[in-house]
Amino acid sequence: MDNNYGSVWSNAIRAINDILKKDISDECRFGEILSTGFFTQLTSYKDPEFNGSLTDWYIDFLKNEYGFSIENLPDASQEASFFPEHLLVRRNGMLLSTDMLRYVAYCLKLKENSTKIGTVLEIGSGYGGFARIMKAFTPDVRICLTDINESLKCAEIYLRKSCPEARISWDIADADADFILIPVENAQRDLSGRQFDLAVNIWSLGEMPDAYTSFWMDLIQAGHIERFFTINSFMAPVVYGTSDRTGIGNWLFRIDEKWEIEYFETDPKVHQCPLIMDFPKGVAIIGRRTRLDSELSQLKKAAERRFQPVLQYDWVRSALSGCKLDDGTYDITKLSMSVAERTRSYIGHFRIGSGIDDTFFRMWDHYRHTGDMLPASLMVVYLSLAGRFGRGECSKEELILLKKLPKGHLQKHYSVFLNEKTQDTITAYGRILSIQSACDEAIRFLDSGSLDKAQELFFQVASANPQHADAWHYLSRIAMNKKDYAAASAYAAHVCFLYPVYRTYHESFFNAVELLKNKRPDMQGILSDRIPPTAFVTHAYECHLRQTEKDMGYQEGFLLMILAGDGRLYFKSMAEKCRNENLHMQADAFEKAYVRYKIRQHKKTDPE
């Protein structure tokens, strides 16, 4: 396997490596890495009081959902004392963390659905938090942790310090090891053909490029894994310019028919803490591998029976009207989203359900067992209705399914995404570079202090590949280094527009805005929430008309427009300016950014 880990982890690897190289203690090194939030969202919160409130919510959740009291926690499950101090919470004389309690909930769910577990393979093991809790609840278990090398180094620090009695090895042949660390580049050699009672993946399958997702699903489903527990992303939003997300994290529709699904939950309760507004939506699954043809046949028949009542639902009947053929089958190429959308006017409560008896599972399970395109097409309609996305946006799963369906009316509804074109390579410095290689080269320029060269290369990436959020993220960082805080804020806001679920991008935006406020104290009032968004847009457009950077508020005016959720004029103006200065590559990048805003907000009209 190569080392193209995708945009989610490529940047994290560099940051973690920088911390690992520091001349500090292992405890400090681990704490600094964990606090970046790369591994889990729950370790990114800096406020001890907030973390205490989160901990109390998880304590109540365990009690209400599983009848489990923290007094019954195994002694070995208490959080490590060297965990970052702001994340540690003491309750009833025990050291706890929110991440630890989340892993306790996963273990309790597994205990409900699994027999004795002796060997576990955890794919994407992060810093080792789940493995430690799994070991505390099941002392005799042997756990193989596989991840990128940088993550495994963090896990080794954490497990050696928190489990001093445990044997930790990097050798798969070490029969006495409690924890075995397997770098991803050795996974094919060390893991293929090995038997495990349980395979676990928490969130990372949904972040991987599809080549990695395919590799791991093939390994899991090769017949040597008895049970599979996963919780991963679901219904990630896609807007125009970001449809390449369908090439990342396609895990749900790779689960084959040989799993008997024992547990299925969309948007799991353990992640529904009301204190957290932006926890990603996910699906949790526990499956048992079937071995006998007779057992598989029974599962298929059950899936077909479970699907039949779905055809009587009102929205399905509406969606399929005009599609039924004389022989009782359906011509799904005639299924129209406009027909199904009529249900929006009276199904105000329409939302995706959870569980094996719910509509989505019935369709997904039938499709998984039969490959029938009818439930696949109905899943597209269902996800559109349940997601309540606006025009110009949809879920990743809708596009993944559409690419499997024969061309018909449904594709026309999503044409803005399906017809989107991007380049795979660019030409720079006399060489043809892949997009990832170009970004790596630009980051090397940035690290060496060559800001202009890095900026030029990132603009070229943004021009060739309009949805590339990382390019705009680094352009924002470069603008901050050049003390152009208005541009930095605009670029950072645009990254949030492209990838609204990633906390790191939002933090970059807030940092840029704070620097702009400090630079221009006179803008504090305008930048606050005291002025309504309509005033932002008006002010921005008035500045746009004057077209002079000497005019107080010109750059800030466009920032205000972006803060109001409408960045079109900023990018249009910058495109015109770059075109006038013969900076055509930068102009292309700005124009494509402008088009994305225009499509998403087509109901509004430009003030011009």
Side-chain angles (χ1 to χ4, degrees):
M1 297 177 71
D2 61 26
N3 62 351
N4 181 18
Y5 304 118
S7 60
V8 175
W9 271 97
S10 293
N11 297 328
I13 290 170
R14 298 183 189 96
I16 292 172
N17 263 324
D18 288 343
I19 298 172
L20 287 171
K21 293 174 184 176
K22 288 186 176 182
D23 185 18
I24 53 179
S25 68
D26 279 347
E27 290 89 342
C28 293
R29 190 177 288 117
F30 173 79
E32 192 170 332
I33 291 172
L34 196 66
S35 295
T36 63
F38 285 133
F39 289 121
T40 80
Q41 180 172 333
L42 294 179
T43 61
S44 68
Y45 299 120
K46 312 296 186 187
D47 184 354
E49 183 178 353
F50 180 69
N51 287 321
S53 298
L54 281 180
T55 299
D56 292 335
W57 184 87
Y58 274 101
I59 291 172
D60 290 341
F61 172 81
L62 295 175
K63 185 72 172 178
N64 296 331
E65 186 71 12
Y66 298 104
F68 184 85
S69 172
I70 60 170
E71 285 78 12
N72 296 324
L73 282 169
D75 291 339
S77 66
Q78 289 196 51
E79 191 55 88
S81 59
F82 62 89
F83 218 64
E85 187 176 353
H86 62 277
L87 296 173
L88 284 173
V89 178
R90 189 175 291 277
R91 294 289 186 268
N92 296 351
M94 293 179 287
L95 277 181
L96 310 173
S97 73
T98 52
D99 227 25
M100 166 213 151
L101 293 175
R102 177 168 65 98
Y103 294 139
V104 168
Y106 295 162
C107 287
L108 293 174
K109 178 57 70 175
L110 281 167
K111 190 176 179 180
E112 285 184 347
N113 291 272
S114 300
T115 55
K116 182 175 174 59
I117 298 173
T119 54
V120 174
L121 170 64
E122 186 181 6
I123 299 165
S125 50
Y127 70 90
F130 173 79
R132 185 183 74 84
I133 294 299
M134 187 77 189
K135 183 70 171 175
F137 272 82
T138 318
D140 295 333
V141 74
R142 297 180 70 243
I143 304 176
C144 280
L145 295 79
T146 182
D147 208 322
I148 56 178
N149 208 45
E150 292 78 6
S151 294
L152 291 179
K153 289 177 182 178
C154 296
E156 183 177 25
I157 294 171
Y158 181 66
L159 294 174
R160 286 197 188 283
K161 298 289 183 180
S162 58
C163 306
E165 304 297 322
R167 180 177 176 85
I168 300 169
S169 175
W170 291 76
D171 183 3
I172 189 67
D174 190 340
D176 296 323
D178 297 286
F179 300 104
I180 301 173
L181 310 178
I182 307 295
V184 290
E185 54 266 28
N186 298 338
Q188 180 77 51
R189 181 194 71 193
D190 291 347
L191 298 176
S192 295
R194 288 192 175 272
Q195 296 281 344
F196 291 94
D197 296 324
L198 174 69
V200 175
N201 179 266
I202 300 171
W203 290 114
S204 61
L205 280 175
E207 299 172 342
M208 297 178 188
D210 277 353
Y212 271 75
T213 307
S214 179
F215 169 81
W216 288 118
M217 291 305 298
D218 287 347
L219 187 144
I220 292 168
Q221 297 180 152
H224 308 290
I225 307 290
E226 291 300 318
R227 273 186 167 78
F228 179 37
F229 167 57
T230 186
I231 180 164
N232 265 289
S233 66
F234 180 58
M235 295 187 74
V238 175
V239 298
Y240 175 78
T242 68
S243 59
D244 70 324
R245 291 185 193 177
T246 57
I248 297 174
N250 178 12
W251 68 277
L252 183 60
F253 302 114
R254 293 185 187 274
I255 295 178
D256 69 22
E257 74 281 5
K258 293 183 180 180
W259 296 103
E260 178 185 4
I261 305 302
E262 300 173 317
Y263 161 67
F264 186 95
E265 187 179 11
T266 59
D267 202 12
K269 294 176 185 176
V270 67
H271 295 154
Q272 292 183 20
C273 175
L275 302 176
I276 302 176
M277 295 180 61
D278 58 349
F279 206 100
K281 188 178 286 290
V283 170
I285 295 174
I286 297 176
R288 181 185 66 85
R289 198 68 175 167
T290 57
R291 309 291 181 190
L292 301 175
D293 289 343
S294 58
E295 194 174 14
L296 183 59
S297 176
Q298 291 176 357
L299 291 176
K300 181 179 178 181
K301 290 178 181 178
E304 291 173 337
R305 286 195 304 271
R306 195 181 289 116
F307 174 70
Q308 289 306 308
V310 173
L311 297 175
Q312 303 305 315
Y313 296 166
D314 55 356
W315 66 270
V316 174
R317 293 168 68 89
S318 176
L320 292 176
S321 62
C323 300
K324 196 167 187 177
L325 302 176
D326 293 340
D327 62 358
T329 61
Y330 296 91
D331 180 359
I332 62 171
T333 63
K334 295 181 180 179
L335 192 153
S336 172
M337 186 68 73
S338 61
V339 174
E341 280 185 337
R342 291 204 301 263
T343 61
R344 291 183 188 272
S345 62
Y346 67 91
I347 304 186
H349 64 276
F350 202 105
R351 56 167 297 179
I352 196 160
S354 183
I356 289 176
D357 293 326
D358 191 73
T359 304
F360 180 78
F361 178 85
R362 291 169 184 259
M363 294 185 292
W364 173 77
D365 199 41
H366 184 264
Y367 170 68
R368 185 172 65 94
H369 278 283
T370 66
D372 188 349
M373 293 294 106
L374 176 59
S377 60
L378 291 176
M379 274 192 284
V380 174
V381 180
Y382 183 82
L383 291 173
S384 174
L385 292 168
R388 293 187 173 277
F389 292 106
R391 292 295 297 272
E393 55 186 346
C394 66
S395 70
K396 180 175 69 176
E397 286 75 14
E398 290 168 66
L399 297 182
I400 291 173
L401 287 166
L402 280 166
K403 292 179 180 180
K404 301 175 183 292
L405 296 175
K407 289 186 177 179
H409 293 316
L410 274 182
Q411 279 80 358
K412 293 179 181 178
H413 183 82
Y414 293 88
S415 60
V416 68
F417 304 105
L418 299 178
N419 297 331
E420 188 180 332
K421 304 294 183 183
T422 60
Q423 293 176 220
D424 295 325
T425 62
I426 65 170
T427 301
Y429 307 110
R431 293 180 294 153
I432 297 176
L433 301 174
S434 69
I435 294 297
Q436 185 61 52
S437 296
C439 288
D440 292 341
E441 182 94 352
I443 290 170
R444 283 192 286 271
F445 283 137
L446 183 60
D447 291 341
S448 67
S450 302
L451 300 185
D452 291 338
K453 288 185 177 180
Q455 185 179 51
E456 180 181 355
L457 204 46
F458 277 126
F459 267 123
Q460 199 166 347
V461 170
S463 176
N465 205 327
Q467 73 275 13
H468 205 291
D470 279 345
W472 287 106
H473 174 66
Y474 279 105
L475 285 168
S476 175
R477 287 181 54 181
I478 292 168
M480 289 179 70
N481 285 336
K482 292 185 172 185
K483 302 188 186 306
D484 186 354
Y485 301 128
S489 302
Y491 302 159
H494 187 57
V495 176
C496 296
F497 167 79
L498 293 175
Y499 279 72
V501 298
Y502 295 138
R503 176 172 297 276
T504 301
Y505 292 154
H506 287 276
E507 289 178 351
S508 296
F509 173 56
F510 294 139
N511 291 338
V513 171
E514 285 301 313
L515 287 169
L516 177 59
K517 288 181 181 180
N518 295 334
K519 180 185 176 186
R520 293 290 301 275
D522 56 299
M523 294 297 294
Q524 295 253 7
I526 299 177
L527 286 169
S528 72
D529 290 335
R530 291 194 296 273
I531 296 184
T534 52
F536 290 171
V537 176
T538 302
H539 177 74
Y541 182 59
E542 288 174 353
C543 294
H544 171 72
L545 289 178
R546 287 191 282 270
Q547 287 290 313
T548 168
E549 293 191 24
K550 294 180 181 178
D551 186 341
M552 179 177 171
Y554 172 80
Q555 291 276 359
E556 290 82 352
F558 287 111
L559 171 60
L560 298 177
M561 196 168 197
I562 291 162
L563 287 170
D566 190 341
R568 295 170 298 164
L569 286 179
Y570 177 87
F571 289 101
K572 182 176 183 181
S573 177
M574 290 301 294
E576 293 171 354
K577 179 180 177 182
C578 290
R579 195 73 71 193
N580 291 337
E581 296 176 3
N582 292 320
L583 300 173
H584 298 294
M585 176 256 298
Q586 289 95 323
D588 287 344
F590 285 123
E591 281 178 357
K592 289 171 183 176
Y594 165 71
V595 169
R596 286 195 292 278
Y597 275 96
K598 192 171 184 179
I599 288 178
R600 185 176 182 182
Q601 301 181 351
H602 71 286
K603 292 183 179 180
K604 300 178 182 179
T605 57
D606 287 332
E608 70 241 49

